Amino acid sequence: MKIKKEFFLGLMVLVIVVLLIGGIYTFRKIRIRDSLIAQIKELSPRDIPPRTIEDLREAIRLYEELIEQHVRDAAQTGVYWKLLATRLQERGLHHEALNALERAVYYIPEDAYVHYQRGISAGIVAKSSFSAAEGNADAQEYFALSEKSYLRAIELDEGYSRPRYGIGILYVFEMNKPREAIPHLLRYLEISRNDVDAMFVLARAYYMVNNYQDALDIYDRIITTSRDAAKRIEAENNRQTILDSLYG
């Protein structure tokens, strides 16, 4: 008799536990359902839960309009950050410009111009007194950000020439990577054939990798094409320096 009593007592406890679990599950389903109904109700033009297929379609349409508006707002916010960054750069405030450009990248990550501008500001910050005070590791971090930004801009728009010139300067004068600079500068000069400043950078890159003949050819090109007398004289002097080092 005692065993039967214990059995029925255990069975009762089990039933109560099962009922409690079922009740909790049902309560959660009701809460989720009510929450969904409330959200749909907010989107319903008649402020009541949609009861027909047409009502549901209308609620979906309104929701999609809200999404589209959010997308438009986000894109416009990115434009504002980009504009702010440009104004800050014009005033030489490149630390602040970098912060603005980070926000612009967040909103419009596939805008090649934003990445290019970030490459410019990061390179300038790397050479600033702030970076020098923080030590070489800090400067290298900004140079790495500059490189990453230029490369991303090129990846997004291969026909966009300015990032190629920017990374060419970065590789030649700051990161000691002249070999990596050469293809970018060559591509840039295919587009901007008469950019004498870029020719000087390319000639220097050739000189740094001991490709003296190509460096001489670039200096000859500057001498014959530039209308700037000072730049022609500079090219002639650089050309003579190479010849002197080769032939004494």
Side-chain angles (χ1 to χ4, degrees):
M1 191 72 179
K2 183 179 180 180
I3 295 175
K4 283 186 177 182
K5 187 176 181 180
E6 290 177 352
F7 173 77
F8 282 114
L9 181 61
L11 183 61
M12 287 289 293
V13 171
L14 179 60
V15 169
I16 291 170
V17 170
V18 170
L19 289 173
L20 285 172
I21 293 173
I24 292 170
Y25 176 72
T26 302
F27 177 72
R28 286 182 176 176
K29 284 183 66 177
I30 292 172
R31 286 189 61 185
I32 292 172
R33 184 200 63 189
D34 290 346
S35 174
L36 180 59
I37 289 173
Q39 292 179 42
I40 295 175
K41 183 179 177 182
E42 289 178 2
L43 296 173
S44 177
R46 295 187 296 275
D47 196 30
I48 59 175
R51 301 180 184 279
T52 67
I53 292 176
E54 289 304 318
D55 287 342
L56 283 169
R57 285 176 176 168
E58 179 65 11
I60 291 170
R61 184 188 66 78
L62 292 172
Y63 189 64
E64 288 178 343
E65 286 183 1
L66 290 175
I67 292 174
E68 289 298 323
Q69 184 60 50
H70 179 74
V71 170
R72 289 192 293 270
D73 290 344
Q76 189 59 51
T77 301
V79 172
Y80 288 144
W81 280 112
K82 180 167 68 171
L83 181 60
L84 174 61
T86 300
R87 295 292 182 267
L88 291 168
Q89 287 175 321
E90 290 171 353
R91 290 162 175 76
L93 301 172
H94 290 279
H95 284 288
E96 291 80 357
L98 269 180
N99 293 331
L101 288 164
E102 287 295 332
R103 297 302 298 163
V105 168
Y106 175 83
Y107 285 106
I108 43 176
E110 296 189 359
D111 188 319
Y113 176 81
V114 169
H115 291 278
Y116 166 61
Q117 292 299 111
R118 186 171 64 168
I120 292 175
S121 285
I124 293 173
V125 169
K127 295 186 290 185
S128 70
S129 57
F130 173 85
S131 296
E134 290 294 315
N136 188 56
D138 184 69
Q140 293 307 313
E141 182 179 341
Y142 281 110
F143 281 136
L145 175 60
S146 180
E147 177 186 22
K148 175 185 174 181
S149 301
Y150 286 136
L151 290 175
R152 180 58 177 153
I154 293 167
E155 180 183 5
L156 289 169
D157 186 354
E158 293 187 358
Y160 188 17
S161 63
R162 297 306 298 179
R164 294 186 183 276
Y165 181 44
I167 202 168
I169 293 175
L170 182 71
Y171 281 154
V172 171
F173 294 102
E174 308 299 346
M175 301 186 74
N176 194 28
K177 293 182 178 181
R179 199 171 301 279
E180 288 88 339
I182 290 170
H184 290 293
L185 292 167
L186 286 172
R187 180 74 182 103
Y188 173 78
L189 285 168
E190 287 178 4
I191 300 170
S192 303
R193 299 183 61 83
N194 297 320
D195 191 326
V196 173
D197 292 332
M199 293 181 203
F200 273 109
V201 180
L202 177 59
R204 183 182 179 89
Y206 279 136
Y207 179 78
M208 292 171 70
V209 298
N210 301 321
N211 191 342
Y212 301 122
Q213 186 55 58
D214 281 340
L216 290 171
D217 291 343
I218 295 296
Y219 286 130
D220 285 338
R221 180 176 167 183
I222 295 171
I223 293 167
T224 57
T225 61
S226 178
R227 297 180 180 179
D228 189 323
K231 291 183 177 180
R232 289 199 302 271
I233 292 172
E234 183 181 355
E236 290 170 355
N237 291 338
N238 291 345
R239 186 178 186 282
Q240 189 60 49
T241 298
I242 295 175
L243 292 173
D244 290 344
S245 66
L246 289 174
Y247 305 112

